[in-house]
Amino acid sequence: MTLLQSWVESANNASTDFPLNNLPYGVFSHGDATRRCGVAIGDMIVDVAACERAGMISLSGGPLLQGGTWNAVMAAGPEVWDALRAQLTALLQAGSDAEGPLAPQLVAQAEAQLHMPFDVTEYTDFYAAKAHAFNVGSMFRGPENALPPNWLSIPIGYNGRASSVVVSGTDVPRPWGQLKAPDEELPEFAPSRRFDLELEFGAIVGTPSSGMVSVNQADDMIFGYVLLNDWSARDIQAWEYQPLGPFQSKATATTISPWIVTRAALEPFRVDTPERERPLLPYLRAARPLLYDIELEYGLAPEGKAETILARSNVANLYYSAAQQLAHHTSSGCVMRTGDLLGSGTISGTEKDSRGSLLEVSWGGKEPVTLETGETRSFLEDGDTLTLRGHAAGDGFRVGFGECAGKVLPAVDLPDWAKD
């Protein structure tokens, strides 16, 4: 597929994340506190709520764009998703008669405030990249026992906190928690000293499930995707994770990018899941490519200083796709709802410069990374801003997600009743 031309000139730039081929969905405010559904095109946002009120957009079962969130459209299903995309493409393509009436509904992205694009119903985070699982397992169990016995057969995950999901640009205070050094008899309650990021890909459930679904059905249920940073306190995690897995170490924040890139926009970039080292059970098999060729990177910028790109990876490094994760989630009869968010888990490649967390890049703190400023990092320091980016590359265009960023703030003051 080549670049689709738009009358919005900035959308025809090969370097923009938001050409006509993309049309991602977000929520913005401009000039007041009213949150509106919007669509990114070049360096502009189309106020699609206003377009629906004016009759330029008409959806079955509508109005669906007036609530300041995309959940109503998500719940309406694939036919409505396709209809909306077709109408937007017709309105914004070069030569469209809609340029005159639609132009007043454009807002510059630089002048807008972006908000959570949907209401998160529930949140599950997976552990779906083999290189990441192998790296982490090697640190703690040695390479010969790195992968748990079940890893090649089952998508591993844990249920996280929907209330902790925040939009890009939200500051993240360093968490307090129980920490225990190996040579200490008792734990202490202190701010995390090993705070980390995780480079992830998030899938958003559109249509809900009723009973078990196949991988192909699960793929059709996914409305779109976001970049996702599952902030992780590694020292809190090390003390709490047995016997039931992550808890407070993962509850501080999960940051997502502000634009939902639809499954339709990513369709040209599908790639196969990797060759299986152990045959999957039938319910996890699929007859079509399930992953995407999406280039990822993350950078760290100390407060007031230049950013250093720490690693680059690709969504194709996942061993289990979002559709396989979703199908497995329903296998017990678990109902999936509109607005459920699935995190992929850290997406690492096999090389050091493709590791998706500081835990891996610094190998548990034993190999600190040197920034372009000359400073070193094993884990995050107060004032650090972490920025995730991702895009799929087409012929003369790219389909991108915008930035997924957050700044680490100092831990909040401990209340008197929690002190010694």
Side-chain angles (χ1 to χ4, degrees):
M1 180 181 288
T2 57
L3 174 67
L4 300 177
Q5 295 292 315
S6 171
W7 53 264
V8 180
E9 286 300 325
S10 59
N12 302 325
N13 188 320
S15 64
T16 183
D17 273 352
F18 309 124
L20 186 57
N21 306 66
N22 192 349
L23 300 178
Y25 302 147
V27 170
F28 74 103
S29 58
H30 177 252
D32 57 32
T34 303
R35 299 189 179 191
R36 311 172 177 91
C37 286
V39 172
I41 180 76
D43 59 6
M44 308 297 287
I45 301 172
V46 181
D47 185 342
V48 291
C51 292
E52 185 181 49
R53 291 194 299 270
M56 288 184 279
I57 293 175
S58 179
L59 300 174
S60 176
L64 300 178
L65 298 169
Q66 303 305 310
T69 178
W70 283 89
N71 290 62
V73 172
M74 290 156 56
E79 289 187 6
V80 170
W81 306 347
D82 292 344
L84 176 58
R85 184 172 177 82
Q87 290 179 43
L88 288 168
T89 300
L91 290 170
L92 291 164
Q93 67 187 359
S96 169
D97 294 336
E99 179 176 355
L102 189 59
Q105 308 304 336
L106 295 182
V107 174
Q109 289 187 33
E111 299 174 2
Q113 174 70 42
L114 299 178
H115 305 279
M116 280 290 296
F118 69 106
D119 294 329
V120 181
T121 306
E122 297 189 54
Y123 168 54
T124 303
D125 195 38
F126 285 85
Y127 189 51
K130 183 184 175 188
H132 173 66
F134 182 83
N135 287 340
V136 174
S138 296
M139 286 182 218
F140 300 111
R141 295 183 297 274
E144 65 283 354
N145 296 308
L147 291 182
N150 59 356
W151 199 90
L152 294 174
S153 294
I154 184 173
I156 304 294
Y158 71 91
N159 289 315
R161 293 287 303 171
S163 63
S164 295
V165 181
V166 297
V167 74
S168 176
T170 304
D171 293 337
V172 179
R174 180 178 300 274
W176 287 82
Q178 283 201 24
L179 318 177
K180 182 184 177 300
D183 56 349
E184 295 291 334
E185 182 179 355
L186 296 174
E188 62 174 324
F189 190 64
S192 171
R193 302 182 187 105
R194 293 164 69 92
F195 200 36
D196 200 0
L197 81 147
E198 291 192 346
L199 175 65
E200 300 195 25
F201 194 52
I204 301 164
V205 175
T207 51
S209 68
S210 177
M212 184 177 180
V213 302
S214 70
V215 173
N216 286 346
Q217 289 171 322
D219 194 35
D220 292 337
M221 290 167 56
I222 296 172
F223 178 67
Y225 295 89
V226 290
L227 302 180
L228 186 150
N229 178 3
D230 189 36
W231 302 85
S232 299
R234 303 298 186 184
D235 40 8
I236 298 174
Q237 183 177 359
W239 173 235
E240 75 177 5
Y241 83 100
Q242 294 200 35
L244 296 180
F247 183 35
Q248 292 298 87
S249 60
K250 299 281 193 170
T252 302
T254 298
T255 302
I256 65 169
S257 51
W259 299 104
I260 302 171
V261 177
T262 64
R263 186 163 47 83
L266 294 174
E267 198 66 26
F269 308 102
R270 283 186 181 263
V271 294
D272 288 321
T273 47
E275 185 177 348
R276 301 296 158 182
E277 298 177 38
R278 179 188 300 163
L280 293 179
L281 294 173
Y283 81 101
L284 286 174
R285 299 174 192 164
R288 61 192 186 207
L290 295 173
L291 290 176
Y292 300 97
D293 181 8
I294 298 174
E295 300 172 21
L296 303 171
E297 69 174 32
Y298 65 94
L300 186 156
E303 188 161 21
K305 298 180 182 178
E307 180 185 71
T308 300
I309 300 300
L310 296 182
R312 291 183 171 89
S313 188
N314 195 296
V315 171
N317 284 325
L318 290 171
Y319 193 82
Y320 296 103
S321 69
Q324 288 169 313
Q325 296 163 23
L326 179 53
H328 179 67
H329 216 326
T330 69
S331 62
S332 63
C334 174
V335 173
M336 304 302 294
R337 299 171 178 161
T338 298
D340 281 354
L341 175 64
L342 306 181
S344 63
T346 306
I347 306 177
S348 296
T350 57
E351 303 300 321
K352 182 173 182 177
D353 62 2
S354 64
R355 295 174 183 171
S357 66
L358 275 172
L359 176 68
E360 297 166 87
V361 171
S362 73
W363 206 251
K366 296 177 181 178
E367 302 173 8
V369 61
T370 301
L371 307 180
E372 292 183 5
T373 60
E375 301 169 70
T376 61
R377 290 290 186 278
S378 293
F379 293 95
L380 301 175
E381 296 187 6
D382 294 346
D384 287 348
T385 294
L386 274 296
T387 304
L388 281 57
R389 303 179 185 88
H391 71 273
D395 183 7
F397 72 98
R398 53 194 277 165
V399 170
F401 292 78
E403 294 187 342
C404 176
K407 180 180 178 179
V408 180
L409 299 184
V412 299
D413 291 337
L414 197 64
D416 289 340
W417 51 261
K419 298 177 182 177
D420 291 335

